[in-house]
Amino acid sequence: MGTTYTLRLESNDLGQLLDGLRSRSVAWNDTAEYLESGYSSREDFIAEECNDAEEARNIAAHYDRIMAIIEAQMNEHRTIT
């Protein structure tokens, strides 16, 4: 594992960060679905660049893990304060 950082953000900024991460996860999951089925349910869909659906799902899962860590820390902070 790499270096761990401690960040201090206001709650609104943290919400914006999570929103951006969620958007990236959705984009990668949509790409995986498109690569598997050849179809997208969204008219504005643009596939992310990757080798295959498995890679796209792994990238989406990475974003999901980041969000889970942040949300766990947010919940921990709420119980402390």
Side-chain angles (χ1 to χ4, degrees), residues 18-32:
L18 285 169
D19 200 36
L21 292 169
R22 194 169 292 109
S23 293
R24 299 305 303 141
S25 176
V26 167
W28 282 104
N29 276 313
D30 287 351
T31 295

Side-chain angles (χ1 to χ4, degrees), residues 7-18:
L7 304 174
R8 297 176 61 91
L9 298 169
E10 291 187 20
S11 60
N12 188 48
D13 295 335
L14 193 53
Q16 293 294 318
L17 176 68
L18 285 169

Side-chain angles (χ1 to χ4, degrees), residues 22-42 44-61 63:
R22 194 169 292 109
S23 293
R24 299 305 303 141
S25 176
V26 167
W28 282 104
N29 276 313
D30 287 351
T31 295
E33 288 178 27
Y34 173 76
L35 291 172
E36 290 173 342
S37 70
Y39 172 79
S40 173
S41 60
R42 294 183 14 223
D44 64 342
F45 173 75
I46 298 173
E48 300 296 326
E49 191 171 323
C50 62
N51 293 318
D52 55 30
E54 181 180 359
E55 181 183 9
R57 290 219 188 276
N58 287 337
I59 293 169
Y63 281 107

